[in-house]
């Protein structure tokens, strides 16, 4: 390889690196000021590092058989930032590829046409825009992961806003500090992306500027959320203690609560919803919904695609054949053997 070729590779890298650096403030500004969530072929790029952005561009070659350049998507972002866009989710990677394939010369005209539904419909200032209050009932592992997601996606404050968590009073004198520490560190998901502080005087955890009221309560029907300025709130019950309509309905007896979402499979007539699969079953009159089980959320998208593509025949199995004597797995847990036989 000649020195000229070596230098050209390095020059190309530095140009793409510089483009990614220029993308970061544009991505952040669109998110905070216009509530525009950007992605590259389905990969969210908000709060990404320069290397993270370049990796997202390189991922495109697995779909389009060619790598997408950050120089191309930067041009898309520059134009988008001047279109006063309204709330939207926009895949700038697909837009960049579509523009190249269109053969058109003017990228602004192309984007105005593609984004006509949101062009000129920029969000009002945050203080004049309504957001949806969210309360986490329970702050175990699932609750803390939900808190991370809600804080990460707070944007300019016009989305779902985590306003409070409801827990039982711990025996430790430094209860708030302990809960903040658990939110700050996770052995699987790593450290919290941002800053967390504790306001002991007002009983709050402050995470990336989000003031989260910590409410101590002995039951779901014993809280007055309006005392904390929380109204028409979505209560996300992640305790798993109440799973039927009677139990979850207790939340709605608390002043300031309007809807309940369960993070476990619901019982009885409660709708178990997997977003994108049967979310069209949600009605405006529904006040209690379940997000179904982790297994259902993992399996149903795949099963839906298979069913629509080639069809699935449902059969009923009445007997499982356990792994027999002499098998190297015979001493494994019998329940695990049953699962292996079924698979």
């Amino acid at each position: 390889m000649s020195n000229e070729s070596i230098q050209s590779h390095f020059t190309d890298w530095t140009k793409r690196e510089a483009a990614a650096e220029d993308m970061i403030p544009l991505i952040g500004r669109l998110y905070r000021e216009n509530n525009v969530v950007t992605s590259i072929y389905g990969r969210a790029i908000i709060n990404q590092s320069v290397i993270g952005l370049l990796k997202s561009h390189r991922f495109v070659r697995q779909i389009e058989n060619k790598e997408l350049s950050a120089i191309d998507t930067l041009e898309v972002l520059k134009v988008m930032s001047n279109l006063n866009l309204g709330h939207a989710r926009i895949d700038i990677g697909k837009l960049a590829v579509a523009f190249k394939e269109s053969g058109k010369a003017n990228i602004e005209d192309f984007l105005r046409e593609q984004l006509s539904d949101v062009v000129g419909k920029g969000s009002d200032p945050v203080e004049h825009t309504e957001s949806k209050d969210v309360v986490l009932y329970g702050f175990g592992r699932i609750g803390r992961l939900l808190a991370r997601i809600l804080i990460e996606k707070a944007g300019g404050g016009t989305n779902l806003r985590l306003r409070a968590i409801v827990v039982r009073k711990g025996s430790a004198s430094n209860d708030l500090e302990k809960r903040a520490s658990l939110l700050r560190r996770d052995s699987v998901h790593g450290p919290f992306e941002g800053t967390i502080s504790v306001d002991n005087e007002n009983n709050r955890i402050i995470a990336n500027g989000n003031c989260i009221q910590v409410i101590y309560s002995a039951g779901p029907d014993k809280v007055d959320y309006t005392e904390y300025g929380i109204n028409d709130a979505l209560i996300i019950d992640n305790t798993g203690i109440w799973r039927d309509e009677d139990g979850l309905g207790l939340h709605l007896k608390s002043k300031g609560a309007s809807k309940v979402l369960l993070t476990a499979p619901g019982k009885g007539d409660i709708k178990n919803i997997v977003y994108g699969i049967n979310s069209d079953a949600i009605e405006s009159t529904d006040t209690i919904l379940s997000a179904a089980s982790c297994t259902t959320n993992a399996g149903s998208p795949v099963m839906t695609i298979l069913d629509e593509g080639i069809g699935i025949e449902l059969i009923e199995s009445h007997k499982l054949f356990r792994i027999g004597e002499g098998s190297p797995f015979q001493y494994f847990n019998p329940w695990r053997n049953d699962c292996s036989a079924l698979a």
Side-chain angles (χ1 to χ4, degrees), residues 130-151:
E130 292 185 4
S131 58
K132 181 69 174 178
D133 290 347
V134 177
V135 174
L136 294 178
Y137 195 91
F139 203 55
R141 187 75 188 287
I142 294 175
R144 293 193 296 273
L145 293 179
L146 279 170
R148 285 184 173 213
I149 293 169
L150 288 166
I151 294 165

Side-chain angles (χ1 to χ4, degrees), residues 47-92:
N47 294 329
Q48 283 270 20
S49 65
V50 170
I51 297 300
L53 285 172
L54 292 175
K55 284 185 174 181
S56 294
H57 284 81
R58 190 166 177 78
F59 166 76
V60 176
R61 66 179 183 164
Q62 297 183 31
I63 302 170
E64 298 291 346
N65 294 319
K66 57 184 177 181
E67 190 170 339
L68 176 64
S69 173
I71 296 171
D72 295 331
T73 49
L74 175 60
E75 292 306 309
V76 172
L77 282 171
K78 284 180 177 178
V79 175
M80 283 172 50
S81 65
N82 294 319
L83 295 180
N84 190 26
L85 299 174
H87 171 55
R89 294 179 177 273
I90 300 175
D91 194 315
I92 63 170

Side-chain angles (χ1 to χ4, degrees), residues 44 50 69 130 145 153 167 177 255 258 272 292-293:
V50 170
S69 173
E130 292 185 4
L145 293 179
K153 298 186 180 300
V167 293
E177 284 79 1
K255 194 175 181 182
S258 64
N272 288 277
S293 69

Side-chain angles (χ1 to χ4, degrees), residues 113-173:
E113 178 184 343
Q114 294 295 314
L115 306 175
S116 58
D117 290 343
V118 292
V119 170
K121 298 180 180 178
S123 302
D124 295 329
V126 171
E127 58 267 23
H128 301 302
T129 307
E130 292 185 4
S131 58
K132 181 69 174 178
D133 290 347
V134 177
V135 174
L136 294 178
Y137 195 91
F139 203 55
R141 187 75 188 287
I142 294 175
R144 293 193 296 273
L145 293 179
L146 279 170
R148 285 184 173 213
I149 293 169
L150 288 166
I151 294 165
E152 176 190 336
K153 298 186 180 300
T158 58
N159 303 309
L160 297 174
R161 294 287 301 277
L162 177 57
R163 295 294 308 279
I165 62 172
V166 183
V167 293
R168 289 183 179 272
K169 177 67 174 177
S171 58
S173 59

